[in-house]
Amino acid sequence: MISETSKITLWGDLGKMFEPKLYEKDNGPVIVIVTSTTIKNFRGEVSYSTTTASKIYINLKTDYVASLVEKFSTISNGVEVIERSNVNKISPEEEMFLNRMNIEELLKTDWSPQLKEYFLTVRGKITEIDNTFGWYYISCQKCFRKLELEDGVYKCSKCNNKCDYPLVKYKIHIKVEDKTAETTLVIFNDIAESLLDTAANKLFKQTTNDVPTEIQSLCGREFVYKLKLNTFNLKYGHENFTVSKVFNLNEKLEEQDELKKIKDHKEKNNNTNEENENKNRKELHFKDITAAKDLEDSDEDYHHSSSLTKKNRKNIIIEDDSDDENMNQKRLRK
């Protein structure tokens, strides 16, 4: 029996149809039909997502579904509930390879606007500090939102109050590249402080609008970045991806991950080749059967034709004998 496994994401109320208590293990196999989905192919894996037009039918009362229920009744024991993954439970060595992509894959992936957020990791070298939007912002001391300067006074739109003691926080835009492409990442205060080992207000006091030397020193350094994609990226397709964590490179782990990818790719190709070989064997077997049948039909036609030829020859010989006898009788009369 051929088995294929794919992932499908159910959004909104459609997800509520799969409340675990509704599908106890003794209920037997659950046949689900999902319509009007979007299909994505990422790293050779196909996944599906529901849309606003999607409909779900569970154990539909049709002959075809009934046959599937009977077919899988000895295999399936109901819906398997997979607990929500928690990144905090995995080690940093595992986390730094979470949904690993290269930059080209990050930029070319067709993200779903229905996603609220998504985490992944990329490896890249910092090539430039983009100071178009500055390297810091003035923050509210209560809610940490960006403050607006009005008539010489910093005001917070969220707290709806003026801020007497505003804070200076990092917001650094960095250009990052790998062998495939280049993109822009945004590093906020906590991560920037850990990388630079100094607070933003200290650098703010000793500079104007230029990028401080301490920040420029990040150029040329290579890290693994854990990115948190939000609506800004997922729905509207903008770059400036937010960095939620930075890992120092571990070349040994990077090499192991690369070898694993090569191994998985080879296994996948071997499985594909095996499937193609089986398919070709079936096609050749069918052709052999067809050719043998054609040969058998041709042989029957030949024997039938040969038989008719012999019969015609016999008739001709009989006719010739009859003529000879008549001639002899005529000669005797004379």
Side-chain angles (χ1 to χ4, degrees):
M1 180 181 294
I2 299 176
S3 177
E4 294 289 342
T5 302
S6 295
K7 294 180 181 179
I8 181 168
T9 303
L10 309 179
W11 295 100
D13 293 336
L14 294 179
K16 297 178 182 179
M17 299 179 67
F18 285 86
E19 183 68 28
K21 64 183 180 181
L22 299 178
Y23 305 99
E24 301 296 339
K25 288 189 175 182
D26 57 358
N27 285 344
V30 178
I31 308 301
V32 180
I33 300 174
V34 185
T35 67
S36 304
T37 62
T38 58
I39 305 175
K40 293 182 181 180
N41 189 328
F42 177 66
R43 289 188 175 180
E45 293 185 2
V46 176
S47 62
Y48 304 84
S49 294
T50 57
T51 65
T52 54
S54 295
K55 291 185 178 181
I56 295 181
Y57 303 93
I58 301 174
N59 284 345
L60 194 63
K61 302 299 182 182
T62 65
D63 293 339
Y64 176 68
V65 172
S67 67
L68 291 178
V69 171
E70 182 179 358
K71 180 178 180 181
F72 293 103
S73 60
T74 58
I75 303 174
S76 175
N77 291 318
V79 175
E80 178 185 359
V81 179
I82 302 175
E83 297 296 332
R84 181 178 179 181
S85 61
N86 189 341
V87 175
N88 295 327
K89 292 182 180 180
I90 67 175
S91 66
E93 289 78 14
E94 294 174 305
E95 188 179 358
M96 68 188 297
F97 293 99
L98 176 70
N99 299 327
R100 176 64 70 89
M101 300 183 183
N102 60 44
I103 295 177
E104 182 180 38
E105 290 170 336
L106 170 64
L107 298 178
K108 288 187 175 182
T109 299
D110 184 19
W111 300 105
S112 172
Q114 294 175 317
L115 287 173
K116 299 300 180 183
E117 63 181 24
Y118 188 82
F119 289 92
L120 58 93
T121 57
V122 296
R123 171 181 174 175
K125 181 173 69 174
I126 301 175
T127 59
E128 181 184 349
I129 306 299
D130 183 359
N131 201 36
T132 304
F133 305 99
W135 58 270
Y136 66 91
Y137 70 101
I138 306 300
S139 162
C140 174
Q141 61 181 348
K142 294 181 179 180
C143 67
F144 304 115
R145 289 291 187 92
K146 182 179 180 180
L147 298 176
E148 299 296 335
L149 185 61
E150 297 181 11
D151 300 327
V153 177
Y154 284 106
K155 294 183 179 180
C156 179
S157 58
K158 183 178 181 180
C159 298
N160 195 26
N161 201 351
K162 70 175 184 177
C163 186
D164 295 325
Y165 302 98
L167 304 176
V168 180
K169 290 186 173 293
Y170 288 112
K171 185 182 179 184
I172 306 171
H173 292 71
I174 58 174
K175 295 284 187 181
V176 175
E177 69 173 11
D178 62 10
K179 295 179 181 179
T180 64
E182 181 185 65
T183 190
T184 303
L185 310 181
V186 182
I187 300 177
F188 283 92
N189 193 71
D190 291 344
I191 297 174
E193 277 190 352
S194 64
L195 288 176
L196 300 171
D197 196 25
T198 186
N201 66 310
K202 292 181 179 180
L203 300 183
F204 178 75
K205 293 177 181 179
Q206 54 179 292
T207 186
T208 54
N209 292 325
D210 296 331
V211 179
T213 305
E214 290 85 348
I215 297 177
Q216 290 285 6
S217 67
L218 293 174
C219 294
R221 298 181 66 182
E222 190 172 9
F223 300 98
V224 173
Y225 309 90
K226 180 183 173 184
L227 307 183
K228 179 182 178 181
L229 277 61
N230 51 32
T231 303
F232 184 75
N233 316 120
L234 300 169
K235 185 174 182 179
Y236 301 107
H238 299 307
E239 295 186 39
N240 294 334
F241 302 100
T242 300
V243 177
S244 64
K245 201 168 185 178
V246 174
F247 303 90
N248 289 317
L249 278 179
N250 186 321
E251 291 295 352
K252 184 177 180 179
L253 293 178
E254 293 288 331
E255 183 178 352
Q256 290 176 356
D257 182 67
E258 191 63 29
L259 291 175
K260 183 179 180 298
K261 289 178 183 177
I262 294 173
K263 181 181 177 181
D264 293 342
H265 182 69
K266 285 183 178 179
E267 289 179 353
K268 183 177 180 180
N269 285 341
N270 289 337
N271 292 336
T272 302
N273 292 335
E274 186 176 349
E275 290 176 1
N276 291 335
E277 287 178 3
N278 292 334
K279 182 179 178 181
N280 292 335
R281 287 194 193 100
K282 290 180 180 179
E283 291 178 352
L284 288 173
H285 181 63
F286 177 77
K287 290 179 179 178
D288 290 342
I289 293 175
T290 304
K293 185 68 173 59
D294 293 341
L295 183 61
E296 183 180 346
D297 293 342
S298 176
D299 190 51
E300 288 180 359
D301 292 342
Y302 171 78
H303 287 297
H304 181 67
S305 175
S306 177
S307 175
L308 290 176
T309 302
K310 289 179 179 179
K311 184 177 180 181
N312 291 337
R313 287 177 181 173
K314 186 175 181 182
N315 291 337
I316 293 172
I317 292 173
I318 292 173
E319 290 176 359
D320 289 347
D321 290 344
S322 176
D323 291 342
D324 290 343
E325 185 178 354
N326 291 335
M327 289 295 293
N328 290 334
Q329 288 179 356
K330 286 179 180 181
R331 287 175 181 174
L332 290 173
R333 289 174 184 172
K334 288 182 179 181

